[in-house]
Amino acid sequence: MSSKIISIIISESDENSLDAFKNYEYIDGVYIPKNLDDSFTELNKLIKRKDRNNLLKNKENEFLTSQHFALGKYIRNEWGLWKASRLYLWFKEKEITHPDDISSIILKYYYRKN
């Protein structure tokens, strides 16, 4: 072989841009809530009443701890909190930017509102 590589250009994907997913209503087929109230509505759609009652029978702190790597993980990953989704940007406007903090707020709100 007589060819050689002169240069390689690696550029950031548009997915890493803070604006990449801001207007997406769905990411990978999953609806992304617009705000905290919409998050509550979506969680009520996702969680069956029987399961909701079992989850919410615990004290708030136990619920939050037990759901950090369960429902909280779903919220962080599926609702695009690592991808600057519209939900992430809604919280960012309120100066809350870490996905763990956002999912904790959503879970606490969900617990208290039910």
Side-chain angles (χ1 to χ4, degrees):
M1 290 196 189
S2 61
S3 64
K4 57 181 165 174
I5 298 173
I6 296 173
S7 67
I8 297 176
I9 299 172
I10 301 173
S11 62
E12 294 283 328
S13 159
D14 285 343
E15 287 186 16
N16 293 329
S17 162
L18 270 186
D19 292 333
F21 295 98
K22 74 178 186 179
N23 295 318
Y24 284 33
E25 187 173 348
Y26 291 85
I27 298 176
D28 297 329
V30 176
Y31 176 77
I32 308 302
K34 296 176 277 224
N35 54 40
L36 190 56
D37 285 327
D38 199 22
S39 297
F40 174 83
T41 301
E42 284 307 302
L43 287 175
N44 268 341
K45 289 178 187 175
L46 289 170
I47 303 169
K48 296 176 185 172
R49 184 178 306 259
K50 179 180 76 171
D51 295 332
R52 185 179 323 135
N53 292 338
N54 281 336
L55 283 174
L56 299 174
K57 70 181 178 185
N58 295 320
K59 293 186 180 193
E60 182 179 292
N61 206 30
E62 293 169 353
F63 169 76
L64 296 174
T65 302
S66 71
Q67 293 307 306
H68 180 76
F69 290 110
L71 192 52
K73 184 177 180 181
Y74 175 88
I75 291 167
R76 291 187 296 278
N77 293 340
E78 299 302 317
W79 288 355
L81 300 184
W82 301 105
K83 296 180 179 180
S85 67
R86 67 184 186 169
L87 181 60
Y88 170 84
L89 294 173
W90 185 85
F91 277 97
K92 185 178 181 205
E93 288 176 0
K94 284 118 186 83
E95 299 182 4
I96 304 164
T97 58
H98 197 283
D100 284 337
D101 297 335
I102 295 169
S103 64
S104 291
I105 290 167
I106 293 169
L107 288 171
K108 188 177 283 192
Y109 183 75
Y110 184 73
Y111 183 90
R112 290 181 178 181
K113 194 163 173 167
N114 264 304

